[in-house]
Amino acid sequence: MPDLGAYAVEVLSAYAVSLSLIVGIVLLTALRGRRVKRQLEEMERRRG
């Protein structure tokens, strides 16, 4: 790991926040995709 000096806490905190946000966005996208897929399948089933 590179020497981050006096700003190690700030830099690592920024990385942690960024990673958390990316993971959250990916999870929300996957959940929404599943929901939309179920809705589409239901609409197709009703249409026949």
Side-chain angles (χ1 to χ4, degrees):
M1 175 180 252
D3 181 27
L4 301 175
Y7 299 104
V9 173
E10 290 83 359
V11 171
L12 294 176
S13 296
Y15 276 121
V17 169
S18 298
L19 184 61
S20 298
L21 289 172
I22 290 170
V23 168
I25 290 169
V26 168
L27 288 175
L28 288 174
T29 302
L31 291 173
R32 184 168 189 261
R34 289 175 52 190
R35 186 179 73 229
V36 169
K37 184 178 179 181
R38 275 196 311 269
Q39 290 173 342
L40 180 59
E41 289 171 349
E42 179 64 28
M43 289 172 59
E44 289 175 345
R45 192 172 23 256
R46 286 182 189 172
R47 189 166 185 200

